[in-house]
Every structure is written in structure tokens, then in C-alpha cells.
């Protein structure tokens, strides 16, 4: 199954090195695709939503089908905040 392409909001003023990085990811995905390996068998993770949007724009320009999953920051997703709170509590020395 090929994932649906979307048109994300992009930043045309993104630095050239970020655009080049996105183009490199697109080239790598295209090189890895072959018989028995559909687009839907591949995934790319980005550190920030801004990076994900820029990468989606470069994939769109390269004609590679893609889909962004959620725009909610990870720390704001249900369950993740509680998990992060538990990690912070585990790092905090207990007062005696």
C-alpha cells in the first residue's frame, strides 16, 4: 500500500543545508525501494515538526508518496506527559 501524499505548510526560507538533507533522504528512500519493498514499508523520523514539514515538502518535490502522522508535539500527547513526569520524579532526590 502506498501512503497518500499531503501538502504540508513549508518554509521557503529554510537553510540550503536543510533542503539538501531532505533531498538526500528522498534519494536514499528511492534507492532503497525495489521489488518486494513498497513505500509503505519505509519510515522516516524527524526531531521536530518543522523538520518533518520540510522533509515532507522535499519528498513531495521528489514525487515520493508520504504521510505525516500528527502535528501534536510528543510531550503534549496523552500518556507521554505522565511518563515524562515519572522520569523527572525518578531523577529528583527524595527529601528526608
Amino acid at each position: 500500500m502506498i501512503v497518500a501524499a499531503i501538502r504540508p505548510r513549508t518554509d521557503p526560507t529554510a537553510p540550503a543545508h536543510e533542503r539538501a538533507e531532505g533531498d538526500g533522504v528522498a534519494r536514499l528512500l528511492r534507492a532503497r525501494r525495489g521489488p518486494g519493498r513498497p513505500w509503505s514499508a519505509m519510515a522516516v523520523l524527524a526531531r521536530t515538526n518543522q523538520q518533518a514539514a520540510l522533509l515532507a515538502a522535499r519528498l513531495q518535490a521528489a514525487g515520493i508518496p508520504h504521510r505525516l502522522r500528527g502535528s501534536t508535539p510528543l510531550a503534549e500527547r496523552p500518556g507521554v506527559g505522565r511518563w515524562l513526569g515519572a522520569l523527572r520524579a525518578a531523577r529528583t532526590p527524595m527529601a528526608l
Side-chain angles (χ1 to χ4, degrees), residues 4 6-9 49 52-56 66-71:
I6 62 169
R7 278 195 176 281
R9 184 173 57 113
N49 290 339
L54 179 62
L55 179 58
H66 61 281
R67 175 177 32 185
L68 287 177
R69 293 276 183 145
S71 59

Side-chain angles (χ1 to χ4, degrees), residues 77-89:
R77 293 183 185 178
V80 175
R82 288 188 301 274
W83 182 77
L84 289 173
L87 285 174
R88 285 186 198 103

Side-chain angles (χ1 to χ4, degrees), residues 2 5 9 18 21 23 35 37 54 57 75-77 84 96:
I2 296 178
R9 184 173 57 113
E18 290 181 7
E21 182 178 27
D23 292 341
R37 184 176 288 186
L54 179 62
E76 294 176 15
R77 293 183 185 178
L84 289 173
L96 299 176

Side-chain angles (χ1 to χ4, degrees), residues 8-66:
R9 184 173 57 113
T10 61
D11 180 1
T13 63
H17 70 278
E18 290 181 7
R19 291 191 306 274
E21 182 178 27
D23 292 341
V25 169
R27 280 191 303 277
L28 178 63
L29 291 172
R30 191 169 301 287
R32 301 267 184 197
R33 185 169 181 264
R37 184 176 288 186
W39 293 117
S40 61
M42 295 183 246
V44 178
L45 301 176
R47 187 179 305 245
T48 67
N49 290 339
Q50 183 179 1
Q51 287 174 332
L54 179 62
L55 179 58
R58 303 318 296 166
L59 294 176
Q60 179 77 27
I64 296 177
H66 61 281

